Amino acid sequence: LWRITGNRIMPGYKPDEISATVATYFSNLRNDKWKSTQHTPNKGLLLGGPKGIGKTINFKVYAKLASNDPNKSRQPRVISVLEIQENYKREQESKKGSEYLDGLARCPELIIDDIGNEDMKFNDYGTVRNLIVDLLSLRYVYWQNGQVVTHGTTNFKATTLEEMYDA
């Protein structure tokens, strides 16, 4: 997991400590190490790295295990950015695109796969927008109220994502 998370998530920690902490998170236990850093898993996890190193499969396994856990209050949903765009287009044809996006925004635990691979300028009846930015903005509001957790995967470096999303 060192290749996935790098050392930006928990500066000063060794790779084994980061791997153990991520594994602890996925097992639905809470680790005191998260309390000593500004990065808390309650905000969600973003796994980044090159293609084929297991970012998506880790979240799919987590979602499967969590969906079978009677003690877990949130049922994670894994969806790719391309699926979000295609589903939105289909729903928009029946004038329900906003309802679809709001439904995703309210999902208690959402895992967005392949962040950065979406159409950055999506044409929505003459309005140019980025659906993922819109979705993340909505989820941020719900997160502030303690209602949602958002995770994601990306093949891009943090600096590239910051440039892409003007963060």
Side-chain angles (χ1 to χ4, degrees):
L1 286 174
W2 179 248
R3 285 179 54 197
I4 295 172
T5 60
N7 65 356
R8 287 180 56 114
I9 200 167
M10 293 175 64
Y13 287 89
K14 296 178 184 168
D16 290 344
E17 292 172 324
I18 294 173
S19 297
T21 304
V22 172
T24 299
Y25 179 77
F26 280 129
S27 65
N28 202 27
L29 302 172
R30 293 299 178 244
N31 190 320
D32 288 337
K33 287 180 186 172
W34 290 108
K35 294 176 186 169
S36 65
T37 179
Q38 66 179 350
H39 305 286
T40 168
N42 295 330
K43 295 178 182 175
L45 295 172
L46 176 65
L47 301 183
K51 292 180 183 179
I53 62 171
K55 300 176 298 290
T56 302
I57 195 69
N58 272 303
F59 275 126
K60 285 185 176 181
V61 167
Y62 166 68
K64 180 70 173 169
L65 292 173
S67 68
N68 293 327
D69 183 354
N71 298 320
K72 182 135 176 77
S73 61
R74 299 174 183 208
Q75 300 300 310
R77 179 174 179 187
V78 180
I79 189 165
S80 76
V81 294
L82 298 179
E83 286 177 89
I84 292 170
Q85 284 183 319
E86 289 305 312
N87 292 343
Y88 182 86
K89 284 179 192 175
R90 191 177 323 97
E91 293 297 322
Q92 196 61 4
E93 289 172 7
S94 60
K95 307 267 191 246
K96 295 184 179 178
S98 294
E99 290 175 25
Y100 171 74
L101 210 57
D102 192 56
L104 284 179
R106 293 175 186 270
C107 178
E109 189 164 12
L110 186 65
I111 302 161
I112 304 172
D113 191 32
D114 281 336
I115 294 171
N117 284 331
E118 72 274 9
D119 292 333
M120 296 307 286
K121 297 195 187 245
F122 182 80
N123 192 346
D124 183 14
Y125 292 107
T127 302
V128 177
R129 60 194 294 194
N130 183 313
L131 290 178
I132 303 307
V133 169
D134 292 350
L135 175 60
L136 291 173
S137 296
L138 287 169
R139 290 189 64 77
Y140 181 73
V141 171
Y142 293 122
W143 170 80
Q144 287 179 313
N145 295 325
Q147 297 172 314
V148 302
V149 174
T150 307
H151 308 291
T153 70
T154 186
N155 297 325
F156 295 95
K157 294 180 179 180
T159 53
T160 305
L161 287 175
E162 288 170 0
E163 291 171 12
M164 291 170 70
Y165 293 103
D166 200 27

